[in-house]
Every structure is written in structure tokens, then in C-alpha cells.
């Protein structure tokens, strides 16, 4: 008998076709709307596999309902939306999609750094609003990127790819991880420093750790207080890693200069979110990996992980 799977969002045809070769497929057909919780709770009852996105909270209750469930394939590298301990306890495999999105996310992270430093969104809005009267010497001036110090918190796949880009801008590079990477240090000319030194001395601080209990509120009021008044914070990892209330106060009070945020504690972020009211914030709707090629690669990799697991093999990207 073909295994049954549920897909929590409309996927590209090529991905559905591949999954249909092996599985009996049911899918939430809407592209712009997440599957309602009550629908997911019904759909999970008889499936062997679940293909989900970071918009779905896969908690212990849901896992308990899925009595046939063998594998959950998350179409993301981060998997903080899934209760991994509960899945492991119930012998359910969980997979993610690392690697295929690394370069695209590093591109976006560097683009966000540049857009924030050079006030690109603010300048564009200024122009479109008809506020521009003339060119003037200090109008819309920002921070230099070339030659500045970039501190990367979480030098993993995306962090390293970001460091490579920053080298092209003659940036001085710092990183902080739990473990050192001597080979990468030599290769990229990047220096390992303690968290405090990174925060005190960096002109740009980029957060690229996974979101875990350990990294929750990793950047709070105390950390922001260490940063330079000219510093820019970039978060393309996950919202909960940076304390949003503390960040709002730091940006409003001029404790730091600006922030570029692709991720928020609660997504989709609402338009009345205090951080969105600040001109020194560039805010994006979680588009780190959003290139056409990469999203297709992520979906195909998630499909292969699911198929492997359902065919009794160990999927390439198992996380538990
Ligand atoms: P990765 O290769 O696992 O890198 C994560 C890095 O963080 C590792 O070097 C790890 O090193 C470090 N780290 C983990 N816990 C830490 C801690 N407590 N303190 C300091 N450093 C810590 O992951 P990746 O592929 O680069 O992805 C990173 C994250 O980016 C993902 O988890 C995801 O949440 C996010 N992401 C966002 C988007 C987007 O669309 N915005 C796209 C892709 C990924 P140690 O283990 O040595 O500490």
C-alpha cells in the first residue's frame, strides 16, 4: 500500500508530481493562507508522513493525534516550529533542508545589511512621497560598509557564506560560536572573539544561530547596551533570538543606529508592530531563502527526505 501524506501548503507541480509517484497525496490547496489548525488536526489522523512549513506549529498534541506518523519533513533549515523531543519520544523522524538555501540566505542577509546601513528603503520612500526638494550634503547619510567590522553570531553554513561576501567589502571579521572553527578562521581571515567583545567592537552584528532554548533572547537589553551608537543589528535567523521590546527601546533611544530584520517573534508581523514604526528599521517578511530556484530546491529536498523516510531509509537530513 502506498503511504499517505499530507502537505500543508500548495507546492509547485514538480514537487507534487514527485511525491505522487510514491505516495497518496492530500494537500492544503491555498498558497497564501496557512492550513487552519482544526483541518491539520483532522488530516494528521491517518497519514504516514507530513510535509510542513515553518508556519505550522507541530506540538506534542498534534503528534499524539498522528498515530501512523513516521516522518515530518520541514521545508526549512530551522525547525524550532517542531517539538523535536516529543517527536523523538514517539519515534517520528524529523528532517530539514540545510545547504540548498545557504547562498541565497547569505545574499539576502548582506543585502539587508547594505539596505539598512545606506537607508535605502527610507530614501526610496522619501523620493516616492515627493519629499525630495534638492540634493543636499548630509541628506539621508548612512554608515559605511567597506572597511567596517562585521560580527557574526553563529558562524555556520550561512554565517560562513556571509563572511565570504563581507571579505569582498574589505570588512574586518569577528565571529562567536559555542565552538571555534580554526580552519575557517584561516580560510576566511575571521577572528573568534567572546560575545562581549563582538558586541562592543562591531559596526554590524549579524545573528545567524538556530532558535533554541539557549539562543532565546540572546540579544537583549544588556547586549544592546554594549553595542556602538553607530552599530547596525541584522537578524535573518529567527525572531525570538532578539528581544523585540529591548530592540525597540535601543533603536528609539539611539543606543544603536539601525536594524535590519527579516524575522519576527510572531509571524506574520502585524503592521502596528512598534518596530515597524521606526524609520531606522528595515523590515522584511521572512524572505531569506526566497529565490525561485532555492525555494524549488528546498521543496524537492523536503520531498526526497519524506520519500526516503517512508521507504524505510534514513533520510539525508534527519535532525533527531
Ligand atoms: P548552522 O550551519 O547550523 O549554523 C548555526 C551556527 O550557530 C553554528 O555555527 C553554531 O555553532 C552556532 N550556534 C548554535 N547555538 C549557538 C549558541 N548558543 N551561541 C552561539 N552560536 C551558536 O545553520 P545555518 O544553515 O547557517 O542556519 C542558521 C539559522 O538561520 C537557521 O537555524 C534558521 O533559523 C535561520 N535561517 C533563516 C532563513 C530566513 O529565511 N531568514 C533562511 C535560512 C536559515 P556552535 O554549535 O559551535 O555554537
Amino acid at each position: 500500500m502506498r503511504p499517505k501524506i499530507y502537505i500543508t501548503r500548495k507546492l509547485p507541480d514538480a514537487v507534487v508530481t514527485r511525491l505522487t509517484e510514491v505516495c497518496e497525496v492530500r494537500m492544503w490547496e491555498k498558497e497564501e493562507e496557512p492550513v487552519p489548525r482544526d483541518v491539520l488536526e483532522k488530516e494528521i489522523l491517518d497519514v504516514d508522513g507530513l510535509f510542513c512549513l515553518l508556519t505550522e506549529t507541530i506540538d506534542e498534541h498534534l503528534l499524539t493525534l498522528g498515530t501512523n506518523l513516521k516522518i515530518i519533513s520541514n521545508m526549512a533549515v530551522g525547525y524550532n516550529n517542531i517539538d523535536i523531543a516529543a517527536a523523538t519520544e514517539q519515534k517520528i523522524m524529523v528532517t530539514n533542508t540545510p545547504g540548498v538555501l545557504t547562498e541565497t540566505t547569505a545574499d539576502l542577509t548582506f543585502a539587508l545589511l547594505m539596505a539598512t546601513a545606506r537607508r535605502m528603503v527610507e530614501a526610496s520612500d522619501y523620493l516616492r512621497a515627493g519629499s525630495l526638494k534638492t540634493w543636499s550634503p548630509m541628506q539621508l547619510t548612512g554608515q559605511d560598509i567597506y572597511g567596517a567590522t562585521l560580527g557574526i553570531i553563529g558562524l555556520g553554513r550561512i554565517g560562513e557564506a556571509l563572511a565570504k561576501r563581507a571579505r569582498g567589502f574589505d570588512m574586518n571579521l569577528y565571529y562567536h560560536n559555542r565552538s571555534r572553527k580554526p580552519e575557517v578562521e584561516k580560510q576566511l581571515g575571521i577572528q573568534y572573539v567572546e560575545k562581549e567583545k563582538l558586541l562592543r567592537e562591531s559596526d554590524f552584528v549579524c545573528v545567524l544561530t538556530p532558535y533554541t532554548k539557549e539562543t532565546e533572547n540572546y540579544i537583549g537589553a544588556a547586549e544592546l547596551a554594549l553595542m556602538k551608537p553607530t552599530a547596525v543589528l541584522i537578524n535573518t535567523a529567527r525572531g525570538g533570538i532578539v528581544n523585540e521590546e529591548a530592540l525597540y527601546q535601543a533603536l528609539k533611544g539611539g543606543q544603536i543606529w539601525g536594524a535590519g530584520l527579516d524575522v519576527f517573534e510572531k509571524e506574520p508581523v502585524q503592521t502596528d508592530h512598534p518596530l515597524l514604526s521606526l524609520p531606522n528599521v528595515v523590515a522584511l517578511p521572512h524572505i531569506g531563502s526566497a529565490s525561485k530556484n532555492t525555494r524549488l530546491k528546498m521543496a524537492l529536498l523536503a520531498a526526497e527526505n519524506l520519500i526516503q523516510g517512508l521507504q524505510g531509509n534514513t533520510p539525508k537530513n534527519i535532525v533527531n
Side-chain angles (χ1 to χ4, degrees):
M1 233 176 47
R2 280 147 53 92
K4 287 184 184 146
I5 65 161
Y6 187 66
I7 305 173
T8 62
R9 196 73 60 86
K10 186 173 168 44
L11 293 177
D13 289 346
V15 185
V16 180
T17 303
R18 172 66 185 127
L19 285 165
T20 310
E21 283 169 13
V22 181
C23 312
E24 211 176 283
V25 176
R26 297 199 304 265
M27 179 166 76
W28 177 249
E29 294 285 348
K30 297 184 183 171
E31 230 167 312
E32 298 283 335
E33 207 182 292
V35 58
R37 178 73 184 194
D38 60 325
V39 174
L40 185 55
E41 286 187 359
K42 278 196 199 105
E43 294 287 2
I44 205 156
L45 294 175
D46 67 338
V47 293
D48 303 286
L50 181 71
F51 183 119
C52 65
L53 315 181
L54 49 80
T55 45
E56 280 78 59
T57 302
I58 312 296
D59 54 21
E60 194 173 359
H61 173 65
L62 195 75
L63 293 171
T64 314
L65 294 176
T67 46
N68 289 348
L69 207 55
K70 291 166 196 67
I71 177 164
I72 299 164
S73 178
N74 206 35
M75 188 186 141
V77 62
Y79 45 84
N80 50 287
N81 56 313
I82 301 171
D83 187 334
I84 298 293
T88 309
E89 175 74 30
Q90 296 182 40
K91 301 199 166 26
I92 300 168
M93 292 179 271
V94 178
T95 61
N96 67 344
T97 59
V100 291
L101 44 53
T102 297
E103 301 298 335
T104 300
T105 308
D107 280 352
L108 188 280
T109 305
F110 205 77
L112 185 54
L113 181 156
M114 296 188 79
T116 311
R118 297 299 303 273
R119 302 170 66 178
M120 287 187 203
V121 175
E122 197 187 343
S124 176
D125 288 348
Y126 188 75
L127 181 77
R128 285 166 193 266
S131 308
L132 184 67
K133 302 283 181 287
T134 180
W135 186 94
S136 96
M138 298 310 284
Q139 178 188 64
L140 290 165
T141 47
Q143 304 293 340
D144 274 324
I145 296 151
Y146 78 93
T149 295
L150 168 64
I152 301 175
I153 298 180
L155 189 76
R157 287 171 292 250
I158 301 169
E160 283 184 36
L162 178 69
K164 283 184 196 149
R165 284 152 180 77
R167 268 169 59 111
F169 283 75
D170 284 338
M171 295 182 94
N172 176 38
L173 299 174
Y174 284 165
Y175 80 102
H176 183 73
N177 267 11
R178 289 170 304 183
S179 52
R180 281 187 69 161
K181 295 182 148 183
E183 273 311 306
V184 179
E185 287 175 25
K186 262 190 258 159
Q187 227 176 54
L188 297 178
I190 189 166
Q191 189 186 340
Y192 178 87
V193 292
E194 287 308 322
K195 182 179 172 186
E196 188 175 325
K197 182 176 165 78
L198 184 147
L199 292 166
R200 276 190 200 285
E201 295 183 14
S202 296
D203 300 300
F204 296 91
V205 173
C206 282
V207 181
L208 277 167
T209 65
Y211 182 33
T212 61
K213 280 203 175 71
E214 217 183 350
T215 61
E216 187 171 6
N217 285 323
Y218 193 87
I219 304 286
E223 286 73 21
L224 291 160
L226 295 174
M227 290 171 67
K228 296 182 184 183
T230 50
V232 171
L233 178 77
I234 303 295
N235 186 5
T236 47
R238 285 290 184 270
I241 302 171
V242 176
N243 184 297
E244 290 181 351
E245 171 58 22
L247 179 62
Y248 175 78
Q249 296 302 340
L251 287 162
K252 202 167 163 59
Q255 209 167 39
I256 71 168
W257 190 79
L261 307 170
D262 185 41
V263 286
F264 291 84
E265 225 168 282
K266 258 189 117 183
E267 294 177 3
V269 65
Q270 299 302 300
T271 49
D272 62 356
H273 192 296
L275 282 166
L276 267 56
S277 70
L278 299 175
N280 50 347
V281 169
V282 176
L284 300 175
H286 206 140
I287 58 164
S289 63
S291 76
K292 291 185 193 307
N293 283 339
T294 291
R295 284 285 168 84
L296 186 59
K297 281 187 203 162
M298 287 166 67
L300 286 168
L301 179 57
E304 285 314 316
N305 281 328
L306 194 62
I307 289 169
Q308 286 308 313
L310 290 171
Q311 289 181 334
N313 303 317
T314 305
K316 190 171 153 208
N317 306 116
I318 190 158
V319 300
N320 63 340

